[in-house]
Amino acid sequence: MNYSAADVFLSAPPPSFELREREPLLPFISDKYLSLILTIVIYWVVSIFFHIIDTFDLLPKYRMHPPEEVSSRNKVTVTEVIRDVLLQQLIQTIIGIMLTEYDPPDYVGMEAHDIWVLAHKLPFLSLPVVSFLYYYGFSTMKIIAAFFAVDTWQYFVHRTLHTYKYLYRTFHSRHHRLYVPYAFGALYNHPFESLLDSLGAGLAFKLCGLTIRESLIFFSFSTLKTVDDHCGYALPFDPLQIIFQNNAAYHDIHHQQFGIKTNFSQPFFIFWDKLLGTQYKGNRVGRNAAAAEKSETEKKEE
């Protein structure tokens, strides 16, 4: 009888192993600090990319607002936006260091043993499938779970900041000085709200048991998504805007006066808006925003 390599592997005793600390992705910096720095790099690289598009008006037909609205409707200067974004990034870096300061090192060397154990626990799966789950599947599930966790935190914190006038006027109204969002204004917040946002991301990281490598993907993707949601463009070729209903057009509605009490979800999914009835039901988006708000103002005056 011919036995496959998988049969031989599974019929043998569990492989022995020797643990060793995982080598960092880059030899000159630990994965922990790389994950903290990479989020900042991604934020500014993607923001500069969209700023170049804005400056040279490279994609005018995909703009959700005409260029003149940026200066006429926004109530904050570019300098103030950059200052507060840098402050938020300082806050998130400090919290990131605190959350991971006492985490044990990430060890490797036990992979074959763990796959052997897992294969015997899941005998109905082939060895290649078990190996795929071990190396990629479980990590993907944990990261997606972290997406849901951070969305839950963001929805209820965000909605609370809109529900109570004191909280809105004192803290969250600062972010809404950007009626016409642009990419590098994505993290323009009051420092207290910056602290809440950073705590929510850190809580998702801890609750879902992400490793440092997994957190690197989670935080980097979250940053990329947040910037894209504030880019000011409805791009039919942007994979983030295609895959996620919670995209730049969806979040832009929340920045307009007519939609400010809706579309609280961010940054990934919209299930909380759907479940709790806070999804915007109208059709006023993008270039119609200024006209819609003018119409709303006229109706109130009448």
Side-chain angles (χ1 to χ4, degrees):
M1 183 179 293
N2 293 325
Y3 292 95
S4 67
D7 292 330
V8 173
F9 174 77
L10 293 173
S11 62
S16 60
F17 61 91
E18 183 177 344
L19 293 178
R20 63 185 186 279
E21 197 168 334
R22 186 189 294 276
E23 293 293 326
L25 284 170
L26 301 176
F28 53 86
I29 187 172
S30 69
D31 288 349
K32 179 178 79 172
Y33 287 104
L34 177 62
S35 70
L36 296 173
I37 293 172
L38 191 58
T39 57
I40 297 173
V41 172
I42 288 172
Y43 186 93
W44 289 109
V45 168
V46 178
S47 292
I48 290 170
F49 170 76
F50 279 112
H51 183 65
I52 291 171
I53 292 174
D54 281 344
T55 302
F56 296 99
D57 203 16
L58 300 179
L59 297 171
K61 73 175 183 178
Y62 299 118
R63 275 185 180 270
M64 289 186 285
H65 301 272
E68 58 270 16
E69 282 194 29
V70 175
S71 57
S72 66
R73 299 182 65 218
N74 286 342
K75 309 301 180 185
V76 60
T77 67
V78 169
T79 302
E80 290 172 315
V81 169
I82 293 174
R83 178 201 64 196
D84 284 9
V85 169
L86 292 175
L87 179 58
Q88 161 132 354
Q89 289 177 330
L90 175 62
I91 291 170
Q92 73 184 26
T93 300
I94 292 171
I95 290 178
I97 292 172
M98 293 171 61
L99 284 173
T100 57
E101 182 64 27
Y102 299 105
D103 281 359
D106 192 10
Y107 290 104
V108 295
M110 65 295 193
E111 291 82 4
H113 176 274
D114 289 350
I115 290 172
W116 186 94
V117 172
L118 187 61
H120 282 80
K121 289 182 178 179
L122 303 172
F124 49 88
L125 296 178
S126 67
L127 187 58
V129 172
V130 171
S131 298
F132 179 83
L133 282 175
Y134 179 81
Y135 285 110
Y136 305 106
F138 293 140
S139 289
T140 300
M141 286 187 276
K142 286 163 64 179
I143 292 169
I144 292 173
F147 288 171
F148 279 95
V150 77
D151 267 23
T152 299
W153 174 275
Q154 289 285 9
Y155 177 86
F156 287 102
V157 168
H158 190 189
R159 186 171 178 179
T160 299
L161 291 173
H162 275 274
T163 301
Y164 298 96
K165 289 183 179 179
Y166 172 80
L167 294 179
Y168 180 79
R169 289 173 179 169
T170 307
F171 305 116
H172 190 56
S173 62
R174 181 177 298 197
H175 183 67
H176 280 276
R177 293 175 185 172
L178 289 176
Y179 285 91
V180 182
Y182 46 79
F184 63 86
L187 293 183
Y188 170 65
N189 289 313
H190 188 283
F192 177 70
E193 188 173 353
S194 300
L195 176 64
L196 292 178
D197 289 349
S198 299
L199 287 174
L203 186 63
F205 159 63
K206 287 294 188 181
L207 284 177
C208 297
L210 301 183
T211 65
I212 292 297
R213 290 278 174 93
E214 291 162 350
S215 74
L216 193 151
I217 296 171
F218 168 62
F219 291 127
S220 296
F221 193 77
S222 299
T223 299
L224 177 62
K225 183 70 172 60
T226 300
V227 174
D228 192 77
D229 288 349
H230 290 80
C231 71
Y233 291 86
L235 302 173
F237 45 81
D238 183 340
L240 294 178
Q241 298 191 27
I242 294 169
I243 294 169
F244 294 95
Q245 287 180 283
N246 197 342
N247 52 31
Y250 188 88
H251 190 64
D252 182 80
I253 291 170
H254 178 73
H255 274 263
Q256 310 312 313
Q257 195 62 39
F258 61 81
I260 198 169
K261 295 294 186 181
T262 62
N263 290 16
F264 297 115
S265 294
Q266 55 184 21
F268 297 107
F269 310 111
I270 64 172
F271 63 93
W272 283 118
D273 276 326
K274 287 186 173 181
L275 285 173
L276 299 180
T278 54
Q279 184 179 6
Y280 182 68
K281 299 296 194 300
N283 58 7
R284 296 170 179 169
V285 296
R287 291 180 180 275
N288 297 321
E293 291 198 16
K294 182 178 179 181
S295 175
E296 292 287 343
T297 303
E298 290 173 350
K299 286 180 181 178
K300 289 179 181 178
E301 290 176 350
E302 290 174 0

